[in-house]
Amino acid sequence: MQPTLSQPSLGCAETGLPSNFSVVIAYEDFEAGKHAKRTYDFLVEHLGGDCHLSNQMWKFDVLRVPKLLAMAAKDAAEADIILVSSHGGSALPAEVQAWLEAWLQEPGEP
């Protein structure tokens, strides 16, 4: 049996977060995507009902398509939180590195 940690919810007012904010998730494969989604669900659960989160999920493979990479870069530039989920066995693929560089070139606030 695994112990369960009990953590109080934090509302947006207590954390200083805006009431609406977005999360972009880039993930390597199905398992990495599930892990990142669990992290997102944890945020939704623990930030309370007054925080409204939305998410965009981008699989590493689709970032090879230039139009999709541009769309993902725009999403990341506008996001409040970015989660990158991979197994970490090697360097990030070239398409993910290109996405990171593209999103940093997008106008907006870091």
Side-chain angles (χ1 to χ4, degrees):
M1 181 180 225
Q2 213 174 6
T4 304
L5 297 176
S6 176
Q7 296 179 338
S9 292
L10 296 172
C12 284
E14 291 90 356
T15 61
L17 294 171
S19 60
N20 294 306
F21 69 101
S22 64
V23 178
V24 168
I25 299 169
Y27 63 99
E28 184 173 5
D29 57 21
F30 183 74
E31 287 302 315
K34 283 189 341 185
H35 183 74
K37 181 65 168 67
R38 284 192 301 269
T39 301
Y40 171 80
D41 292 341
F42 177 87
L43 290 172
V44 169
E45 179 181 346
H46 289 88
L47 287 175
D50 60 336
C51 292
H52 303 284
L53 284 81
S54 62
N55 75 64
Q56 296 288 328
M57 294 186 73
W58 293 96
K59 190 167 186 269
F60 288 1
D61 292 351
V62 303
L63 300 175
R64 291 182 189 137
V65 179
K67 276 191 173 185
L68 296 177
L69 183 137
M71 290 171 59
K74 184 171 173 38
D75 286 348
E78 295 172 354
D80 298 295
I81 296 175
I82 299 166
L83 301 173
V84 178
S85 183
S86 74
H87 297 286
S90 60
L92 290 172
E95 61 269 15
V96 177
Q97 292 176 16
W99 170 67
L100 294 170
E101 291 170 12
W103 127 47
L104 293 173
Q105 299 302 316
E106 287 285 324
E109 292 184 37

